[in-house]
Amino acid sequence: MAFGPVQLIVLGFDHPRFHGEIIAELERLRASDTVRVIDALAVHKDEDGALEVTHLSNLTQAEAIEFGSRIGALIGLGIEGEEGMAAGAIAGAEVTAEGVHVFLESEDAWHVLDDIPNGTAAALLLIEHHWAVPLRDAMLRAGGYRIGDGFVSPLDLVAIGLHTPEEAQRLHALETARGGNGG
């Protein structure tokens, strides 16, 4: 099976009220072969900035360490302590020795943990967009390449007629409100 484009999504929660809806929706998307969750972490940052990290999956602890530590490796979070950091360093050294440059310079690194405000929580989702494999492959066959990507704010969709100003304001407020209705 071809591997699709991968995206890291960081969702913030002031006062998380998890009822299983987010996991259920991710499972539905997986069942439809739309996306695959590669890894998912819950991060709580206390008022002093100390982190508590939990895997959001049905993997055992051993499986999570072996298979589910992709986000930690991507953002430099040693969630398995010194043993996990050492394993990551060894893996990085091996691919670097093969001529593959994996580690980004510090100014290019993924600093998503810095964006999580103290006293809040976040869900970090590393997902594969499986639906995009045929599109990506067609683009490559046509000689194309990715220049950029990003989510478009509902406010920007008013100008092109996809939302009314009222609907855009409502959606923007929902997407950016801290301490929303939960999920």
Side-chain angles (χ1 to χ4, degrees):
M1 178 188 302
F3 205 82
V6 175
Q7 179 180 26
L8 176 64
I9 300 173
V10 182
L11 308 170
F13 300 90
D14 281 338
H15 306 285
R17 295 177 300 277
F18 299 119
H19 305 287
E21 293 177 85
I22 295 170
I23 298 296
E25 181 59 19
L26 290 170
E27 290 296 327
R28 185 191 68 76
L29 290 169
R30 175 62 190 131
S32 68
D33 209 26
T34 303
V35 300
R36 177 174 66 101
V37 177
I38 297 169
D39 193 10
L41 297 178
V43 176
H44 177 264
K45 190 183 269 192
D46 71 16
E47 294 298 335
D48 297 323
L51 298 174
E52 180 180 325
V53 181
T54 307
H55 280 278
L56 294 175
S57 72
N58 57 0
L59 298 176
T60 66
Q61 181 67 20
E63 289 170 329
I65 290 171
E66 184 177 353
F67 303 115
S69 306
R70 303 304 198 267
I71 292 175
L74 183 65
I75 65 174
L77 179 63
I79 58 177
E80 281 80 43
E82 291 183 25
E83 187 177 307
M85 289 170 50
I90 292 168
E94 288 173 355
V95 294
T96 300
E98 295 171 7
V100 178
H101 180 70
V102 214
F103 298 103
L104 303 172
E105 302 301 323
S106 62
E107 66 270 6
D108 296 327
W110 293 79
H111 295 286
V112 298
L113 296 176
D114 296 340
D115 296 334
I116 302 169
N118 289 359
T120 67
L124 284 70
L125 306 171
L126 190 63
I127 62 171
E128 174 198 6
H129 291 277
H130 196 256
W131 64 267
V133 171
L135 176 62
R136 182 211 42 218
D137 292 351
M139 180 256 324
L140 291 173
R141 286 190 297 274
Y145 54 94
R146 181 176 58 92
I147 293 175
D149 53 62
F151 286 107
V152 178
S153 167
L155 298 174
D156 295 327
L157 298 177
V158 173
I160 60 173
L162 291 179
H163 284 308
T164 65
E166 297 78 20
E167 181 67 4
Q169 282 291 344
R170 185 184 73 74
L171 290 171
H172 176 74
L174 286 172
E175 289 180 0
T176 59
R178 291 188 53 182
N181 295 328

